[in-house]
Amino acid sequence: MNILITNDDGYGAWGIEALIEAVSKKHNVFVIAPDGNRSGNSMCIHLYSSFKLYKKGEQKWACEGTPADCVNVALKGNLLNCKIDAVLSGINKGQNIGTDIIYSGTCAAAKGAVIFGIPGVAVSMQLACENDSDWNDRSKWHFESIASFVADNLEKLCSLCRPASGGKMPDEKCAFINVNARSLKSFKGVKITDVCFREYTDDKAEISFKDGSSDTAECVFLGGEGESDQRSYSDYQACKDGYISVSRVIAEPCSANDDLNLDSIGFSL
């Protein structure tokens, strides 16, 4: 298969390099990845504004845009001159579970793929110890283990996706696959999971006023660890228990009208 690999950590990040190496053994790999970290960009795209791409090697490009831009380039442009059969996004340095999925650039790339009609799989890994301070220690990140799982099971993972049919509305909601695991050399197994709800109680936006001005403020958003509440056997719990979590995630907007009754609301005109 012709596989596009992208991420949100940026071209050359540890996780994407491990995924490229593993998947290239069995498939024809193309790489279009952001030229820097684009974490938290979700589905942000450059609309009617240009951005540059830089050739990094045979079938490899770094992109000034976002993960969603990278998918657009591959699927809607003529840069690659071939049909892409699936999109892999990751391996993200850090988990993308539960509510994280909404913000994640990693997941956005997989989401964009299924909306455009091809399978999309997002892959993320978290340090084995939740309070581990060795975030920048490469020896603590066992990306190769999850990369091997994805490469060995790529066709199965793609079969679980529900891409749009020819880019048109499918009978069922479009869905991509979200894979998560702790940074372990081996796993107890694989679990099909629900997604947890993440409470970002320790996130903080720091506001400061510069040069004594009260008219201009500067903000820095500081993300925290977050707490995970579980509705059922969740992605969080599976990873904590030493398993690989595989979740099928709806990629398009879903209404929640089941408990709404127009007569009881009493809208006025």
Side-chain angles (χ1 to χ4, degrees), residues 2-268:
N2 291 326
I3 306 297
L4 172 70
I5 296 183
T6 188
N7 70 350
D8 73 1
D9 287 337
Y11 187 93
W14 296 335
I16 195 173
E17 289 300 312
L19 192 59
I20 292 167
E21 182 176 355
V23 176
S24 294
K25 295 175 182 178
K26 300 182 179 181
H27 300 280
N28 186 28
V29 167
F30 296 84
V31 179
I32 305 178
D35 62 357
N37 192 299
R38 303 290 190 274
S39 295
N41 271 235
S42 188
M43 290 291 288
C44 174
I45 59 172
H46 283 72
L47 193 61
Y48 305 120
S49 60
S50 65
F51 53 89
K52 293 182 174 63
L53 297 110
Y54 304 96
K55 191 171 181 65
K56 293 290 188 177
E58 189 65 29
Q59 301 183 168
K60 295 181 178 180
W61 295 81
C63 171
E64 284 186 338
T66 66
D69 284 327
C70 294
V71 174
N72 288 349
V73 167
L75 303 187
K76 298 296 183 177
N78 60 359
L79 182 72
L80 303 182
N81 291 316
C82 74
K83 179 182 179 296
I84 296 296
D85 298 305
V87 171
L88 295 180
S89 183
I91 303 166
N92 192 65
K93 185 183 178 186
Q95 64 193 3
N96 278 305
I97 60 173
T99 323
D100 299 340
I101 296 167
I102 298 171
Y103 303 99
S104 167
T106 303
C107 292
K111 183 189 299 186
V114 296
I115 290 173
F116 286 151
I118 68 171
V121 180
V123 190
S124 303
M125 176 168 271
Q126 179 73 345
L127 284 172
C129 298
E130 291 186 53
N131 296 319
D132 200 326
S133 60
D134 296 320
W135 185 261
N136 293 315
D137 184 348
R138 177 64 177 90
S139 67
K140 301 292 184 181
W141 292 95
H142 304 297
F143 290 114
E144 293 74 19
S145 59
I146 192 69
S148 294
F149 165 77
V150 172
D152 292 342
N153 295 276
L154 183 55
E155 290 84 356
K156 294 177 182 178
L157 292 168
C158 288
S159 73
L160 297 176
C161 295
R162 288 204 306 245
S165 177
K168 298 180 180 179
M169 183 174 68
D171 294 333
E172 297 181 273
K173 294 288 186 182
C174 291
F176 67 94
I177 295 301
N178 191 35
V179 178
N180 277 270
R182 294 287 175 92
S183 183
L184 302 170
K185 293 182 179 179
S186 61
F187 305 98
K188 293 180 180 179
V190 183
K191 295 285 188 180
I192 300 295
T193 60
D194 194 2
V195 295
C196 67
F197 182 83
R198 301 272 288 155
E199 295 182 349
Y200 305 109
T201 53
D202 59 347
D203 286 1
K204 185 198 294 188
E206 288 192 349
I207 307 293
S208 60
F209 291 90
K210 300 298 183 181
D211 302 322
S213 170
S214 60
D215 298 324
T216 303
E218 185 173 296
C219 177
V220 176
F221 184 74
L222 305 174
E225 291 298 322
E227 298 292 332
S228 300
D229 292 332
Q230 302 171 66
R231 297 185 175 99
S232 61
Y233 192 79
S234 69
D235 43 12
Y236 169 79
Q237 192 62 47
C239 294
K240 185 177 179 181
D241 291 345
Y243 292 89
I244 294 172
S245 165
V246 175
S247 304
R248 185 157 63 179
V249 182
I250 300 300
E252 48 180 303
C254 295
S255 61
N257 294 334
D258 293 345
D259 60 345
L260 299 182
N261 184 303
L262 184 60
D263 293 334
S264 66
I265 297 171
F267 288 119
S268 61

